[in-house]
């Protein structure tokens, strides 16, 4: 693996770790406001980000590269409400999609077909990541100040569970 690609993926490992940190912070904020379903949803999201970290981590090692972990920035700790938190999540996922696309561009430029193929899982994953956040933002906008609606959505989001990907699942 070229050094330029190794650096790009190490930077992405950092971005995915930050994603986990951000969602854990959003989770804490929701739990502290008794929005336990949303708190649980964000906690699952934080766990999923660690799966993304693991995929990049293993890929670098499999290609005989060097994993170089970097400092993780502190995430925000306050939001004006659940809508602002989920809007923040959507905005963040759009940034992550753009970062993934830039690595895909680099892989194409360098003729690194292996990395290009590896990245397709993330390209597809980002469709779901953005769509899910966008849907929840839309529902929260519909709910507005309706506390019964918020209560029901919180309950529904609390049903999300974290599932480990099957052993040996394609990276
Ligand atoms: Fe790792 Fe939410 O993208």
């Amino acid at each position: 693996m070229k050094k330029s690609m190794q650096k790009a993926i190490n930077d992405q490992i950092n971005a995915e770790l930050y994603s986990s940190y951000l969602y854990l912070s959003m989770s804490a904020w929701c739990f502290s406001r008794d929005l336990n379903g949303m708190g649980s949803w964000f906690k699952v999201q934080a766990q999923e980000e660690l799966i993304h970290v693991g995929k990049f981590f293993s890929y670098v090692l499999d290609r005989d590269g060097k994993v170089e972990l970097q400092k993780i920035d502190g995430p925000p700790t306050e939001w004006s409400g659940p809508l602002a938190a989920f809007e923040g999540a959507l905005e963040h996922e759009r940034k992550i999609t753009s970062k993934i696309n830039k690595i895909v561009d680099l892989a194409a430029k360098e003729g690194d077909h292996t990395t290009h193929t590896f990245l397709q899982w993330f390209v597809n994953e980002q469709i779901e990541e953005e769509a899910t956040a966008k849907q929840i933002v839309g529902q929260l906008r519909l709910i507005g100040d309706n506390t019964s609606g918020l209560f029901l959505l919180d309950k529904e989001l609390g049903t999300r569970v974290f599932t480990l990907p099957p052993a040996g699942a394609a990276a």
Side-chain angles (χ1 to χ4, degrees):
M1 171 186 289
K2 284 193 180 165
K3 291 280 179 227
S4 47
M5 181 55 75
Q6 179 178 295
K7 180 173 184 324
I9 297 185
N10 273 312
D11 288 351
Q12 191 61 31
I13 288 175
N14 184 263
E16 301 287 345
L17 281 167
Y18 176 80
S19 301
S20 186
Y21 229 33
L22 173 66
Y23 294 136
L24 204 53
S25 188
M26 288 171 170
S27 170
W29 184 88
C30 290
F31 278 123
S32 74
R33 262 104 188 136
D34 296 319
L35 292 164
N36 292 350
M38 294 182 185
S40 171
W41 190 95
F42 274 123
K43 203 168 171 193
V44 171
Q45 187 67 17
Q47 287 172 295
E48 286 203 349
E49 295 301 344
L50 295 180
I51 299 294
H52 300 172
V53 170
K55 283 180 186 284
F56 281 114
F57 179 95
S58 299
Y59 181 71
V60 173
L61 294 174
D62 287 348
R63 296 289 308 280
D64 206 19
K66 187 171 183 215
V67 171
E68 290 176 317
L69 297 179
Q70 305 160 14
K71 182 179 157 201
I72 309 165
D73 289 336
T77 55
E78 282 295 334
W79 288 270
S80 57
L83 175 59
F86 278 95
E87 282 174 338
L90 175 57
E91 186 191 340
H92 181 69
E93 286 303 332
R94 285 175 172 157
K95 277 190 201 151
I96 291 291
T97 300
S98 148
K99 281 178 187 290
I100 299 277
N101 287 340
K102 284 198 177 119
I103 313 177
V104 173
D105 288 345
L106 180 65
K109 194 176 122 206
E110 294 188 344
D112 184 345
H113 300 292
T114 314
T115 303
H116 198 275
T117 301
F118 164 76
L119 289 169
Q120 296 315 301
W121 185 91
F122 287 93
V123 169
N124 289 323
E125 174 75 359
Q126 283 311 117
I127 298 171
E128 189 191 318
E129 292 281 77
E130 283 191 34
T132 308
K134 188 168 179 289
Q135 188 185 25
I136 299 171
V137 165
Q139 288 171 337
L140 281 165
R141 284 187 184 144
L142 283 175
I143 285 168
D145 292 334
N146 182 329
T147 47
S148 309
L150 185 62
F151 183 79
L152 284 175
L153 181 63
D154 185 64
K155 257 196 155 3
E156 183 194 321
L157 293 179
T159 61
R160 181 185 186 189
V161 287
F162 173 68
T163 44
L164 265 177

